[in-house]
Amino acid sequence: MLRIFVQNAVKINFPAVSAIHTSAVECAARKGTREKAKKKKVKVEVKKVGFIPHNQRNKNRIQVSNVNKHVDDSWKQTPLDDVYVGKYYKWKVYSFREAVESHRETHHPTMYNVPNATVDAYIELNMVAEKKTRFLDNFHRIVKIDHKFDMGADRQILVFTKSKESAQEAMDAGAALAGGSEIIKKVQNGDLLLSEYNYILAHPEILPELVTLRGLMKKKFPNPKNGSLGADIPSMVNHFKNGIEYSAYRDENQLDFALIKATIGTLNMDIDHLEKNLINLLKDIDSTRPKRDGKFITRVLIKSPPSKEKFKIHPFLYVSEILEKFSLPEAEAAEDVERDEEAQAVQ
């Protein structure tokens, strides 16, 4: 009897377990099958395109101009008189004084009537690095100038310093807010937003406490390399408050070309003051040049809106560039320009 009971138990129990297992597998299989069936129902519409001739293909794409943006007109003729078609001859090189005086004539009350228009310098750069296959990175800088002018925007500057005296000096120099640990606590509590300030300056003494805000400041964190960290607080504030701000960005379609647009003053300023601001700007740009032969600053144009006129000037009179074509220093280059002007005057 015992033997029969065991056999019956085997016959009864084991089929039940296998049935449950089989049903679970079938459900999983059905679920996967349903998902595959749903995916099959999604129809992918393929647009049929007829035959397109080879000269019409990709015609709708934006066509990028392959013209070299580094203008080289050295091969063109020098004009013999004042009436000529510009594109067939070399650009005339003006002195800075001549360029400003020419813009003053067009901005006279009898013409544009904008005697206090801005004077803008358009500076073209050759961004090739030390290796010909590498290019300089984009950069943003502020130049300290000797002669201030109205830039049309008030830069908000925040200064961190422990000393109350230096904080007062910063406020007198034009800072929007200056202080020490009390300002750090306000920033940590969320009562003060760092995004409201264009530049953040600091004295080296407060730097250990300021490290806690490094994550919030990011690129605005004071750094001695860009002049935002130092002991001379009034000079730093004056630098960032009134300096000329400029940026150099590589062209997307020509990586060796960059254009800087910077305002150096207004037309109603003294020409010597304008020229001094231009010299400071060019020397600061020249300080970033790579260690290689050839030009870094390739061309400088002087403009003044709303006029579309642009006057080419000789930048190598102000910076120690070496001309790529003749390999002459700046003094000899200046003499060559003077000789050309004298020859034109005689003709």
Side-chain angles (χ1 to χ4, degrees):
M1 292 294 291
L2 181 60
R3 182 178 181 183
I4 296 171
F5 176 78
V6 172
Q7 289 178 350
N8 291 337
V10 171
K11 289 180 181 180
I12 293 170
N13 294 334
F14 280 92
V17 175
S18 61
I20 293 171
H21 177 70
T22 305
S23 61
V25 173
E26 288 178 356
C27 290
R30 287 174 185 172
K31 185 178 180 182
T33 306
R34 289 169 186 167
E35 289 180 356
K36 290 180 182 178
K38 288 180 181 179
K39 290 180 180 179
K40 287 182 180 179
K41 289 181 181 179
V42 178
K43 294 182 179 180
V44 179
E45 296 182 0
V46 180
K47 294 182 180 180
K48 295 183 179 180
V49 181
F51 175 76
I52 301 175
H54 70 279
N55 58 350
Q56 299 293 323
R57 295 170 188 170
N58 301 327
K59 197 172 183 180
N60 296 329
R61 292 185 180 179
I62 300 174
Q63 295 186 2
V64 179
S65 177
N66 294 324
V67 178
N68 188 359
K69 295 184 179 179
H70 291 297
V71 178
D72 181 17
D73 58 355
S74 59
W75 57 274
K76 295 183 179 180
Q77 297 179 358
T78 303
L80 301 177
D81 51 32
D82 295 336
V83 181
Y84 56 91
V85 181
K87 64 180 180 180
Y88 298 121
Y89 294 89
K90 294 179 182 179
W91 273 52
K92 182 179 178 181
V93 180
Y94 295 83
S95 66
F96 180 76
R97 181 174 291 274
E98 289 175 341
V100 174
E101 290 291 353
S102 299
H103 279 305
R104 284 181 175 177
E105 291 178 4
T106 57
H107 290 68
H108 191 269
T110 57
M111 296 186 70
Y112 285 117
N113 193 21
V114 192
N116 60 341
T118 59
V119 179
D120 301 331
Y122 285 72
I123 303 165
E124 299 175 2
L125 304 179
N126 185 353
M127 299 291 280
V128 175
E130 296 179 15
K131 293 184 178 180
K132 293 182 180 180
T133 56
R134 300 293 181 89
F135 304 97
L136 297 179
D137 295 329
N138 301 331
F139 57 89
H140 177 86
R141 295 170 66 90
I142 294 183
V143 188
K144 185 178 181 180
I145 57 175
D146 299 327
H147 305 285
K148 300 186 294 184
F149 60 94
D150 184 12
M151 298 183 180
D154 187 21
R155 298 172 186 166
Q156 300 296 313
I157 297 176
L158 174 62
V159 179
F160 288 96
T161 178
K162 284 185 175 182
S163 172
K164 292 183 179 180
E165 295 178 357
S166 60
Q168 186 60 43
E169 290 177 353
M171 296 295 293
D172 295 339
L177 182 63
S181 57
E182 69 278 5
I183 298 181
I184 296 176
K185 291 180 181 179
K186 288 183 180 180
V187 175
Q188 291 175 337
N189 296 333
D191 298 330
L192 183 67
L193 297 177
L194 296 176
S195 59
E196 296 178 354
Y197 299 92
N198 301 103
Y199 299 101
I200 299 174
L201 313 180
H203 193 281
E205 293 179 350
I206 202 171
L207 196 59
E209 300 178 26
L210 203 62
V211 173
T212 57
L213 302 180
R214 181 186 288 272
L216 295 174
M217 293 184 186
K218 296 180 181 179
K219 293 183 179 180
K220 290 184 178 180
F221 192 82
N223 191 334
K225 291 184 179 179
N226 59 11
S228 58
L229 179 66
D232 192 355
I233 297 294
S235 178
M236 290 164 52
V237 173
N238 182 43
H239 180 191
F240 285 88
K241 184 79 172 177
N242 304 310
I244 296 176
E245 192 173 10
Y246 71 91
S247 300
Y249 294 103
R250 294 197 309 264
D251 189 273
E252 294 181 356
N253 303 314
Q254 186 175 339
L255 298 179
D256 67 341
F257 178 84
L259 177 65
I260 294 174
K261 177 189 174 184
T263 301
I264 60 175
T266 56
L267 280 175
N268 55 0
M269 290 176 60
D270 186 85
I271 295 181
D272 293 334
H273 294 176
L274 286 171
E275 188 173 20
K276 182 62 177 175
N277 288 349
L278 176 64
I279 292 172
N280 291 344
L281 174 62
L282 291 176
K283 286 185 175 180
D284 189 80
I285 295 172
D286 186 60
S287 66
T288 64
R289 63 170 297 148
K291 296 179 181 179
R292 59 167 174 78
D293 296 331
K295 296 180 182 178
F296 177 54
I297 299 174
T298 56
R299 189 169 67 156
V300 177
L301 304 175
I302 302 298
K303 299 183 182 180
S304 182
S307 174
K308 294 183 179 180
E309 282 187 298
K310 44 192 176 183
F311 299 97
K312 179 181 177 181
I313 67 169
H314 204 290
F316 311 119
L317 303 176
Y318 310 115
V319 295
S320 57
E321 288 260 7
I322 297 177
L323 292 179
E324 185 178 7
K325 182 178 179 182
F326 302 104
S327 298
L328 296 177
E330 56 173 328
E332 296 181 18
E335 292 178 2
D336 286 353
V337 174
E338 292 178 0
R339 289 170 189 166
D340 292 342
E341 291 177 353
E342 290 176 0
Q344 290 179 4
V346 171
Q347 293 172 353

